[in-house]
Amino acid sequence: MTMTKDAIQYLQESGIKPEYRLVNFDNDERWLAFDNSGQAKEILPRVFNANEPIRLNTLTGLVNYIKANIERIDSQLILHIEDERSIRLTGTLEIDGSREILATAGAIVPRFMFGEWHDMESFNIALQSKFVDKRAENFDDDRSILLRVVGNTQEENIKTTGDNGVSQAVTIKQGVNSSDVLVPNPVLLAPYRTFLEVEQPSSLFVFRMKDGPRAAIFEADGGAWRNQAIVNIREYLKEELSVEIHAQKITILA
């Protein structure tokens, strides 16, 4: 068959010499180039994917980008919730096996070192700024109890009660008097660990204190909170993108 100028240029860019003969098959979907010795090389179609994705930091920004419908207007797209902090908006599989990444969303969350010891002032500030206040009317959550304990610790020596390694007591100042109080353990807390548009999942922590005085909390739910965070993200996106999902424009994978 006779090659056009565009075909010859494409062969040159693909590293195929112009003396190759083109043959199409599979209902003109695939093309082979044969040389004079009969060796064949398949010519893969050109796919023009985005060079780099749009990088966002909020679910709101991601939803607004999808609703704007300014790119890949007639294409089906996939929202892949990779984990509690990362989401990718991708296209479907292209003919050459590639998958375009149109946008990513990465949650910005405060940093707190779980499993490490903190002085009372640092721990107090972290509890107030990096954990959700879940107090209800006439109800103290564990965060509030910990704030009272670390905010009123008086002596440097932390007393241990029992020998099971769990229960502890600390001397706190109450008015002009001092008293020993049991430290709650385990505690139910909700640190900021995922996108702020969704509810922060609560999980159990082991709370410990030692001389200094210093305090630390250790994760004690085996990472189950991550699954709940992913569910919360999925439900948020399902609600915000219900029109696009119903029109089969968006598929959410979690």
Side-chain angles (χ1 to χ4, degrees), residues 91-107:
T92 55
L93 199 64
E94 298 286 358
I95 194 171
D96 66 344
S98 64
R99 189 186 301 277
E100 182 177 34
I101 303 175
L102 290 170
T104 63

Side-chain angles (χ1 to χ4, degrees), residues 58-70:
T58 65
L59 295 180
T60 304
L62 182 61
V63 167
N64 289 341
Y65 170 71
I66 294 172
K67 286 181 173 291
N69 199 29
I70 56 177

